[in-house]
């Protein structure tokens, strides 16, 4: 079945450590996105990519980094510079880049900093 | 700056009731509007996508309408069931081409 796979589902990190969240899609979508979801704040855009080897910062990119070496993969690294990394992270993809087309989401990764 | 508001933040109804969820946006220059469902601890599931040229979309017991001039969309759920309990989010693609989300309405359908 086509879809978006995020891993791991749950992740615990000690302060000062970098962690990488995986996002893979087999929908042949050009655009991929990373969102952060916090209680009461809705979804906020971290990074997005419209084509391989290119990506743009979203509203809250500080403390995060991404890469887009393959069309189907868009990993997110949460660095030690991110002040409050505990959150639910959602990856999404869309068949259309600009303006954004219909968005499809993965199941999410919950990161907890101990 | 585009802002998307969903009122109420939470709603509780008895099973079988028809209900309407509201979504309003401040800038009527949108490309499309999408409704999502989110179950606790899960990702978002796309329910309906309405293009700016459309007035409504239907899928099963769900009907979404769009009135760009008034900056409003409604999601109508017919004959609600306990399985409909979830948080419902709307999102608009504005003139900048990016997606802006509302904070959602948490729906509880009581048996």
């Amino acid at each position: 079945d086509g879809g978006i796979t995020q891993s791991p589902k749950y992740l615990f990190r000690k302060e000062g450590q970098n962690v990488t969240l995986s996002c893979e899609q087999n929908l042949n979508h050009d655009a991929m996105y990373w969102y952060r979801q916090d209680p009461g704040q809705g979804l906020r855009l971290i990074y997005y990519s419209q084509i391989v080897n290119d990506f743009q910062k979203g509203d809250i990119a500080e403390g995060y980094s991404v890469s887009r070496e393959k069309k189907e993969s868009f990993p997110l690294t949460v660095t030690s510079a991110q002040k409050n990394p505990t959150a639910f992270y959602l990856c999404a993809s869309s068949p259309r880049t600009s303006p954004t087309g219909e968005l499809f989401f993965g199941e999410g990764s919950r990161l907890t900093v101990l | 700056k585009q802002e998307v508001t969903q009122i109420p933040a939470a709603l509780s109804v008895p099973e079988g009731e028809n209900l309407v969820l509201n979504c309003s946006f401040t800038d009527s220059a949108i490309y499309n509007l999408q409704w999502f469902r989110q179950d606790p601890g899960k990702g978002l599931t796309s329910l309906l996508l309405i293009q700016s040229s459309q007035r409504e979309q239907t899928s099963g017991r769900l009907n979404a309408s769009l009135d760009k001039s008034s900056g409003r969309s409604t999601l109508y759920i017919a004959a609600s069931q306990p399985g409909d309990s979830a948080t419902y989010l709307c999102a608009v693609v504005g003139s900048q081409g990016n997606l802006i989300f509302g904070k959602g309405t948490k729906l509880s359908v009581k048996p």
Side-chain angles (χ1 to χ4, degrees):
Chain A
D1 284 354
I4 302 173
T5 302
Q6 289 188 239
S7 63
K9 188 172 178 62
Y10 300 97
L11 186 60
F12 298 89
R13 182 194 101 173
K14 293 182 179 180
E15 284 194 27
Q17 289 181 333
N18 293 352
V19 294
T20 297
L21 308 180
S22 171
C23 179
E24 304 276 332
Q25 55 100 358
N26 60 5
L27 300 169
N28 199 34
H29 286 172
D30 288 317
M32 297 188 73
Y33 306 80
W34 274 105
Y35 288 90
R36 170 178 171 145
Q37 187 176 37
D38 296 281
Q41 292 204 45
L43 275 74
R44 292 182 288 171
L45 181 64
I46 305 173
Y47 267 98
Y48 65 100
S49 169
Q50 298 178 331
I51 195 170
V52 174
N53 292 324
D54 188 42
F55 47 83
Q56 287 77 40
K57 294 181 179 180
D59 301 320
I60 56 165
E62 185 175 351
Y64 299 97
S65 66
V66 293
S67 63
R68 187 85 186 276
E69 297 178 0
K70 299 186 294 182
K71 185 176 184 178
E72 58 270 22
S73 179
F74 191 42
L76 173 73
T77 296
V78 184
T79 75
S80 56
Q82 168 52 231
K83 300 302 180 188
N84 185 21
T86 295
F88 189 52
Y89 291 89
L90 288 159
C91 178
S93 70
S94 176
R96 196 175 70 195
T97 57
S98 184
T100 305
E102 188 173 6
L103 217 60
F104 297 86
F105 282 83
E107 285 294 292
S109 294
R110 184 167 299 281
L111 171 63
T112 302
V113 174
L114 303 174
Chain B
K1 179 183 175 184
Q2 177 74 271
E3 293 183 2
V4 179
T5 303
Q6 292 185 250
I7 295 174
L11 180 65
S12 182
V13 301
E15 182 177 5
E17 194 164 292
N18 301 326
L19 60 100
V20 173
L21 304 181
N22 297 297
C23 173
S24 62
F25 45 95
T26 53
D27 185 350
S28 62
I30 65 170
Y31 286 103
N32 61 54
L33 183 146
Q34 194 168 357
W35 281 94
F36 298 89
R37 168 187 172 136
Q38 185 176 29
D39 293 290
K42 301 287 188 180
L44 278 67
T45 300
S46 177
L47 297 174
L48 291 164
L49 171 71
I50 309 177
Q51 302 291 350
S52 61
S53 58
Q54 298 175 318
R55 296 298 297 266
E56 65 177 333
Q57 282 283 348
T58 298
S59 177
R61 294 182 295 109
L62 304 180
N63 177 275
S65 67
L66 174 64
D67 185 345
K68 283 202 318 178
S69 61
S70 65
R72 299 176 70 173
S73 176
T74 61
L75 179 66
Y76 175 83
I77 302 177
S80 59
Q81 303 169 358
D84 294 330
S85 298
T87 296
Y88 291 81
L89 298 100
C90 73
V92 301
V93 176
S95 56
Q96 303 292 320
N98 57 332
L99 199 65
I100 308 296
F101 282 87
K103 294 184 179 180
T105 293
K106 185 175 182 180
L107 174 66
S108 177
V109 181
K110 305 295 186 183

